[in-house]
Amino acid sequence: MIESRQAIAVCSALCLLLAGWSLSLRHKAEASNKAVGLMLESSVIESLASTSGLSYEETLEYLAERGLTGVAMTEETVQTLVENNSLFLLPEEGGNRIILQRLSSSARLRSAYERRFGEPLQELRPNIFRSDRDVPTLYDTPIGLNPARAAQVKSARLVLIARHENVPGANENYIEDTLAQSSELGADAYLIGGNQALGSRVLIETTAETLEELGMDYVSPEFVVLGGDSYLRSELAQSTIRLHSIQQLESERLSSRALLDRMKKAFRERNVRWLLLRPTTQASSNAVEEMGRTLASIRTEIRSVGGEVKEPRPFQDPAVPQWLIVAISLLAAPAIAWTVSEVLAVRGGRTIAWIGVLAFAGATVIPELRAYYVLLAAIAYPVCGYLLFARKSDLHPIVAFLGMCLASLVGGLVVASTLVGVDFMVRADAFRGVKLAMFAPIAIVGWMMIIRSGGVRKLAPNPVTWGAALLTVAALAIGVLVFVRSGNDNPGAVSAVEIQLRSMIDQLFSVRPRSKEVFLGYPALLIGLSLIRSRVAGNGLGEAAIVIGMIAQTSLINTLCHLHTPIALGLARLALGILLGGIIGWLLWLLGRRLFAPSEASN
C-alpha cells in the first residue's frame, strides 16, 4: 500500500535532504551577517558629557573607541528652543507672539511651522512672529533633528538614527519633508519615537514609501508594541534591522553578568543587530568612563560568540526556490496523510486524507495556504511518531524514543525549511498557530490512548487510584504552566532557581535546551515507553507518562518554529536537549523500575 511505513520512511528521508538544502541557504544568509551595532540616545550622551566635564564631540570620540556604533537622535520641538532660551512665547490677545533670541533658529522654526500647519508664520518684524495656534500645540511642534549634533555624530563616523513620532495633523507632505530633512542631515535609519510611527495608521504607507525612496533602514524594536511597527517591518523587510533595548531601571537593576548575557543572547539567539543601551548607574565619579567600560565589555562578549561590533546591515533574503518549497511539502504529504487517516479511522477516510493532503501540499505554492499546511505538519508529525514507534512493543524503549524524536524533528524541519525568507528572519512574518501546534498533538495522543483502552464508557466504571488521580492533577498543572509559558515573545514568569539553572547550562554547554524538554518531557517519554514494555504495562502509568512526554515532542517542533532564531543554534539546542533528557530519563528508569515493575526487577 502507498501508505506503508516504508513509503513514509523513503519520503521522509528525501524530505530531510531537501529541507537541509533549503535551510543551508538560510544558514548562509544568517552566517554572513554578524555585525552588531551598539547604540546610545543622543540625550544620554549629552548628559554623560555634562556630568564628566567633556564636550559632546569628545564624549562621542571616547565612546566610539570602545564600541559605540550609532546614535539615536530624537527630533527637537519648539519647547526645546524655549528651554535653551532660543525663543520666547508671549501669549497675547488674538494670538501668541514668538520672539527669536537666536537667529540661527529662524529657518528651522519657519520650516517646521509651515510643515506642521501648512501655512507660513506671520512675521510682524524681523525675528518677531505671531501665531494663532494655542501654546501647547506650539510647544509640541517638532522642528527636526538638531543640525549641529547631527553633524558631530557624522563627523565621528557613527550611524545616525532619526527618531520621529506621530503628531496630530501630520499629512503626506509633513511625513515626506520630515524624513527628507533628517536624511539630508545624515540620518541612515529611522526608529519610531513615542508610541506610534509617523503616519500611523492612515498614512503609514507614505512613511514606508518615503523611507524606501530615501534609502533609509528601518530599526524595529523587539518585545514592544508600537503603532505602525508591524506594517513597516512587513513592507520594509529587506531594509529592516531588529533592535533590542534596555530601559534605565532595568540597566541599573541587572548585574554586569546578567546585562552581558542579555545582550549576547539578543544577538546570538534572535538575530538582533542593534543594541540600545542605557547607563548602568547614575552614581559614578566619571560617567563617561563607566559607559565606556560597559560598551567595551559588551563588544568583548559579542566577539566571544562570533559577532563583530560595527555598523550593522539588513539581512539578505535566502532566496529559496519556489519549487523546492513545494517539493518539501509533497514529500511530507505521505506521513501527514497516513497520520490523518489513522486518527480519523473512518470508512473511506484514507482515500479522502490522501487526496486532500496531496492537494493541500501542491497548493503551498500560495504563501497564504503554505502557513496552514505547515501548521498541519507541525501537528501531524509528533502524532505520526507516536503511531510508528510508541505502539510497537517489540522496539527497545531507547529506539522508540529516538524514533519519535526523529519524526518530530522532520516535522519541525518541514516548517523551518518552507517558511524561509528575510521577512521571517526579521519577524515581519511568523509561524501561525503556536498554541495549537503545542497542544493539539498531546490531546490527540491522549484521546487515542483512551479509545484504544476501550473508550470513556469502559474506563468510567473503573475505580480511580491515588496514583492516577495525583498524576492527572500533575498533568493538568503542567499543561497550564506550559500553556502560559509557550509562545515566541512573552513566556510566563521564570523562577530565580530556573534562571540560575539556565545560566549554569549555558556556561557548561554554550547553548541551552528548553527546561521543559530536558527535565520533564524527554524523561517522562522514556519512562513511559519503558513502562508499557514492562510487565506492569496495564496500570496506565506508562500511557500517562507518554502523554506528558509529548510535551517534549511538540516543544521540539516549536523550537524550529522560532524562525528568527539562527537555524544552527536551534539544531544544536535540540540535539543537546534530546541527549540530556534521554540520559536523565534512562537513569530515572533504572533507579525507579523496582518501584514501577517489581516483578521484572526480581527476575
Side-chain angles (χ1 to χ4, degrees):
M1 294 291 293
I2 191 172
E3 69 269 30
S4 68
R5 298 173 187 235
Q6 291 79 10
I8 293 175
V10 171
C11 288
S12 295
L14 293 174
C15 184
L16 277 176
L17 289 175
L18 294 187
W21 181 5
S22 172
L23 292 175
S24 70
L25 298 176
R26 170 179 159 187
H27 173 67
K28 182 179 179 181
E30 292 169 339
S32 64
N33 187 356
K34 296 293 186 180
V36 184
L38 305 185
M39 183 193 307
L40 288 175
E41 294 274 8
S42 181
S43 59
V44 169
I45 297 173
E46 289 180 348
S47 177
L48 293 173
S50 177
T51 58
S52 300
L54 298 174
S55 69
Y56 188 85
E57 289 177 305
E58 289 171 333
T59 304
L60 283 177
E61 182 180 353
Y62 181 87
L63 296 178
E65 291 175 354
R66 285 150 183 80
L68 181 64
T69 317
V71 177
M73 189 174 294
T74 301
E75 61 186 347
E76 295 181 331
T77 62
V78 169
Q79 183 174 357
T80 309
L81 298 181
V82 173
E83 291 173 349
N84 63 26
N85 297 320
S86 292
L87 65 78
F88 292 100
L89 279 178
L90 300 177
E92 296 179 334
E93 186 176 347
N96 298 294
R97 182 168 296 197
I98 303 173
I99 304 175
L100 277 171
Q101 291 290 97
R102 296 181 183 176
L103 302 184
S104 59
S105 301
S106 177
R108 294 181 70 195
L109 178 63
R110 290 168 179 267
S111 174
Y113 191 92
E114 188 167 354
R115 183 166 60 243
R116 174 83 188 276
F117 303 113
E119 61 185 27
L121 265 175
Q122 305 172 34
E123 187 171 6
L124 302 179
R125 54 182 182 270
N127 302 318
I128 299 179
F129 307 91
R130 179 186 295 275
S131 170
D132 58 1
R133 308 290 173 174
D134 60 82
V135 172
T137 300
L138 285 174
Y139 265 53
D140 292 340
T141 298
I143 59 173
L145 305 184
N146 185 308
R149 290 286 186 251
Q152 290 168 330
V153 170
K154 300 306 294 183
S155 179
R157 297 182 298 280
L158 296 172
V159 180
L160 177 61
I161 300 97
R163 301 202 69 175
H164 300 287
E165 62 179 297
N166 216 18
V167 295
N171 55 28
E172 292 182 354
N173 289 333
Y174 176 86
I175 295 169
E176 293 169 353
D177 291 348
T178 296
L179 292 173
Q181 183 186 60
S182 292
S183 178
E184 289 173 4
L185 291 174
D188 305 282
Y190 168 62
L191 172 62
I192 295 175
N195 297 318
Q196 289 187 349
L198 274 172
S200 183
R201 306 166 56 182
V202 186
L203 296 177
I204 192 66
E205 293 181 10
T206 301
T207 304
E209 292 170 358
T210 305
L211 287 172
E212 190 170 16
E213 290 173 1
L214 295 171
M216 295 174 66
D217 292 332
Y218 172 61
V219 179
S220 175
E222 62 172 358
F223 301 143
V224 293
V225 178
L226 301 176
D229 172 62
S230 60
Y231 180 87
L232 292 178
R233 262 187 291 134
S234 177
E235 292 298 308
L236 303 172
Q238 300 283 350
S239 57
T240 292
I241 305 177
R242 301 183 71 220
L243 171 140
H244 178 75
S245 64
I246 183 168
Q247 299 304 313
Q248 185 62 53
L249 289 177
E250 292 180 291
S251 185
E252 294 179 6
R253 186 178 68 246
L254 291 175
S255 67
S256 297
R257 183 67 260 167
L259 176 64
L260 295 177
D261 285 344
R262 175 166 166 168
M263 295 301 160
K264 176 181 69 176
K265 289 177 181 178
F267 156 69
R268 188 185 183 207
E269 299 183 5
R270 301 192 300 277
N271 275 334
V272 169
R273 292 297 181 266
W274 271 118
L275 303 175
L276 177 57
L277 310 174
R278 300 290 196 285
T280 56
T281 177
Q282 300 285 16
S284 175
S285 58
N286 192 315
V288 173
E289 289 184 1
E290 184 67 31
M291 191 73 246
R293 282 192 290 269
T294 299
L295 290 167
S297 297
I298 294 175
R299 179 172 60 184
T300 300
E301 200 71 18
I302 293 296
R303 286 174 174 173
S304 72
V305 290
E308 185 59 46
V309 172
K310 58 182 181 180
E311 180 179 348
R313 57 185 175 83
F315 282 100
Q316 291 184 339
D317 196 293
V320 176
Q322 191 83 336
W323 68 263
L324 182 57
I325 291 175
V326 176
I328 292 170
S329 302
L330 289 170
L331 288 170
I336 298 173
W338 179 79
T339 302
V340 171
S341 66
E342 288 292 311
V343 171
L344 295 178
V346 295
R347 187 180 299 275
R350 292 181 178 179
T351 302
I352 295 173
W354 274 94
I355 294 174
V357 171
L358 284 172
F360 202 177
T364 55
V365 68
I366 304 173
E368 290 76 14
L369 295 179
R370 187 182 307 157
Y372 295 103
Y373 181 80
V374 296
L375 175 59
L376 177 61
I379 295 172
Y381 267 96
V383 179
C384 181
Y386 163 76
L387 293 171
L388 289 175
F389 300 101
R391 300 207 302 193
K392 290 197 68 176
S393 59
D394 58 331
L395 288 178
H396 191 279
I398 293 180
V399 175
F401 170 81
L402 293 176
M404 290 183 67
C405 291
L406 178 61
S408 297
L409 177 63
V410 175
L413 292 177
V414 168
V415 176
S417 61
T418 54
L419 301 182
V420 178
V422 70
D423 47 345
F424 293 104
M425 296 165 71
V426 300
R427 297 223 60 199
D429 202 351
F431 172 73
R432 303 165 194 171
V434 171
K435 303 287 187 184
L436 187 59
M438 194 78 185
F439 293 98
I442 301 172
I444 292 171
V445 169
W447 179 250
M448 292 182 74
M449 285 184 171
I450 292 175
I451 297 300
R452 193 180 181 193
S453 301
V456 177
R457 290 185 179 180
K458 183 176 179 180
L459 293 176
N462 294 336
V464 178
T465 63
W466 278 106
L470 291 174
L471 192 62
T472 300
V473 172
L476 289 173
I478 291 168
V480 171
L481 181 62
V482 172
F483 181 84
V484 170
R485 292 179 49 170
S486 64
N488 289 341
D489 285 334
N490 191 24
V494 180
S495 68
V497 174
E498 185 175 348
I499 290 176
Q500 293 177 354
L501 188 59
R502 288 180 174 187
S503 179
M504 182 182 69
I505 294 175
D506 265 329
Q507 294 176 10
L508 285 175
F509 301 103
S510 76
V511 62
R512 179 184 58 80
R514 288 180 155 185
S515 303
K516 60 177 172 282
E517 296 175 12
V518 174
F519 301 110
L520 175 64
Y522 290 132
L525 181 61
L526 194 48
I527 290 172
L529 291 169
S530 300
L531 278 170
I532 63 174
R533 284 157 175 78
S534 70
R535 297 185 181 182
V536 289
N539 61 12
L541 291 177
E543 286 79 359
I546 287 177
V547 172
I548 294 175
M550 288 297 295
I551 291 173
Q553 300 303 296
T554 58
S555 178
L556 187 159
I557 289 182
N558 184 254
T559 295
L560 293 171
C561 292
H562 286 63
L563 304 171
H564 57 287
T565 298
I567 187 62
L569 182 72
L571 292 174
R573 174 176 286 168
L574 292 179
L576 183 60
I578 293 171
L579 177 63
L580 292 180
I583 291 174
I584 292 172
W586 191 245
L587 289 176
L588 288 175
W589 168 247
L590 294 178
L591 291 173
R593 65 178 176 178
R594 286 183 176 274
L595 174 64
F596 291 124
S599 59
E600 180 187 35
S602 61
N603 291 337

